Amino acid sequence: MRAALLAFSTLSLVAQDERIFTESMARLEREDPAGKKDLEDASPIRLAALTLNPAKATEQARFAAASWLWATNLIRGFRHGKEQTYLQAARTQADLLKAWTLLETVGAGQARARDGLRLELAWRLLDLDRMRTAYAAVSAQPSPNMRELAHCFFVAAHLGDWAGMKKHGQALVASGGKLEGLHAAAENTLTMFDYESLLKAVETGHPGAPAGPLSVQSHRISKWRVRVTGISGSHKAIVKEAESWSKDWVDRPDSTVDLLQVGAAAHWVESGTQPPVSGFLNAARLYLVGYRDTQGGPTGDAGRQEQMWDMRQDAQNPSRWRGTNTLTARVVGADPKVGPALRVTFEVEWDMRSTETYR
């Protein structure tokens, strides 16, 4: 009986056309407690959106439902689902896949809004084919708005359009965008790319055009060992402490970490104790950069810790990667002319293998 009543309720909502979705969004925007019920898995509005028949609904209703599904996906947050990896869950988000389907039947009257929403959906779904389709349309738009610029900036990186990424990033900043906010988002969500640092990686690492087909993959890094090869800096106490570190190879058997690759871009999925690092990955090279601002330890020295990884694949052993990790520490208020407080360079070796791949 309850299921029948719920189905009847859903049909009644559909009959009201796009108003049910716009009214729900209004409730959510004004933080009306009633709006929280709309976010529940079995809410009548959510079921109405997920079961909306594109052939029977108006174009306005299709667009409103797709917009509502996207907005509430962001509000609800990412959900892994049962026994799913991050990639599996990201690529099978039913609400976003439904939104994409609804937008496929939205016509030219709302073409720009449709294309912009499709770009955002493709990015959230980690779907490279959908990214290509939407990016081609949105990146060609004259006078892009902030949302269009931001998502073109993100997606260009995943597609390996480095010139496009830099162009959209410059336009985003020129329009008042703060790339530091993207870094903060990455610090709060382990799987979120740090697009601010990714742009720096592109500018300093100078990647070439992607060779071969792009893919979405998870990689597992293990059998990791490091040794110190260089120590310098202007802060005597910090440098003295670093000089006590072993100069021999040191194994890190407990440091198994994951690397997320979405197209040409890569992101280190590490615990919250490490700075988020992002960059690019191709067949032979992995280049990542990132930073974290610190409040200071017992000495009270606040500052910034920067990380740079430049790893290259062993030609004789494809699972073995070798390169350098450079740690740079800067102290707030220090004279910039004297250089960083500490810079340590490590020689690094690790094994890296793909654990999950989507093409």
Side-chain angles (χ1 to χ4, degrees):
M1 176 63 73
R2 183 177 181 278
L5 289 174
L6 187 59
F8 179 77
S9 173
T10 300
L11 290 173
S12 300
L13 287 174
V14 173
Q16 296 180 49
D17 221 358
E18 74 272 11
R19 287 176 299 164
I20 61 167
F21 305 113
T22 56
E23 289 170 358
S24 173
M25 285 306 306
R27 287 193 293 273
L28 291 168
E29 288 173 359
R30 64 174 181 265
E31 299 183 353
D32 186 331
K36 293 183 178 179
K37 295 183 178 180
D38 296 347
L39 301 175
E40 296 175 357
D41 286 346
S43 75
I45 293 178
R46 181 171 171 78
L47 292 176
L50 289 172
T51 58
L52 194 68
N53 186 340
K56 296 181 179 180
T58 66
E59 183 173 80
Q60 290 80 4
R62 297 195 296 272
F63 185 80
S67 301
W68 185 90
L69 287 168
W70 168 232
T72 54
N73 177 280
L74 293 178
I75 295 171
R76 282 157 53 96
F78 182 79
R79 301 188 176 191
H80 271 73
K82 293 182 179 180
E83 299 180 355
Q84 285 187 308
T85 66
Y86 171 75
L87 287 186
Q88 289 170 339
R91 295 173 62 84
T92 58
Q93 297 174 83
D95 48 358
L96 301 190
L97 293 172
K98 177 65 177 183
W100 183 276
T101 299
L102 292 171
L103 290 171
E104 287 180 330
T105 58
V106 171
Q110 299 187 75
R112 183 161 183 169
R114 173 202 66 203
D115 291 339
L117 191 52
R118 278 157 60 101
L119 184 64
E120 296 177 24
L121 293 172
W123 169 73
R124 183 79 164 179
L125 285 164
L126 307 183
D127 190 311
L128 295 170
D129 287 337
R130 287 186 168 95
M131 286 186 197
R132 291 187 186 93
T133 298
Y135 179 71
V138 179
S139 62
Q141 291 291 350
S143 304
N145 59 41
M146 290 288 282
R147 282 183 63 168
E148 291 169 337
L149 280 174
H151 286 85
C152 280
F153 175 57
F154 303 160
V155 170
H158 296 298
L159 298 181
D161 179 7
W162 310 124
M165 183 193 188
K166 287 188 277 189
K167 181 186 75 172
H168 297 307
Q170 290 166 357
L172 189 60
V173 172
S175 299
K178 303 295 185 182
L179 299 188
E180 296 89 343
L182 303 177
H183 169 78
E187 287 203 316
N188 294 327
T189 305
L190 294 181
T191 51
M192 176 72 176
F193 281 71
D194 181 354
Y195 291 98
E196 180 193 11
S197 293
L198 205 164
L199 177 59
K200 182 178 179 181
V202 170
E203 292 173 337
T204 59
H206 308 291
L214 297 175
S215 62
V216 175
Q217 298 188 69
S218 286
H219 301 272
R220 177 61 55 87
I221 296 172
S222 60
K223 296 182 180 179
W224 182 1
R225 67 175 189 159
V226 301
R227 68 174 177 181
V228 175
T229 58
I231 299 173
S232 62
S234 60
H235 196 299
K236 293 182 179 179
I238 298 177
V239 171
K240 183 177 180 180
E241 180 183 350
E243 287 176 339
S244 68
W245 299 347
S246 173
K247 305 303 187 295
D248 297 325
W249 283 105
V250 176
D251 292 326
R252 299 184 59 181
D254 61 338
S255 57
T256 300
V257 297
D258 291 321
L259 190 79
L260 178 63
Q261 177 187 0
V262 180
H267 175 67
W268 189 302
V269 184
E270 179 67 280
S271 67
T273 61
Q274 296 293 326
V277 290
S278 298
F280 58 86
L281 174 63
N282 56 39
R285 187 185 183 199
L286 170 65
Y287 186 86
L288 304 168
V289 299
Y291 70 91
R292 168 158 290 157
D293 291 325
T294 62
Q295 299 303 313
T299 61
D301 293 325
R304 173 169 291 189
Q305 181 194 106
E306 301 171 355
Q307 291 268 6
M308 186 276 286
W309 301 83
D310 193 356
M311 305 293 293
R312 296 181 185 274
Q313 191 175 40
D314 188 318
Q316 304 302 317
N317 182 358
S319 66
R320 180 64 48 81
W321 290 69
R322 295 186 172 91
T324 59
N325 168 220
T326 302
L327 167 65
T328 303
R330 304 182 189 277
V331 177
V332 171
D335 184 348
K337 295 180 181 179
V338 302
L342 175 69
R343 176 168 288 138
V344 183
T345 303
F346 301 89
E347 186 177 358
V348 183
E349 290 184 0
W350 67 40
D351 285 355
M352 185 168 75
R353 62 183 180 85
S354 175
T355 57
E356 189 176 11
T357 303
Y358 295 89
R359 297 197 183 277

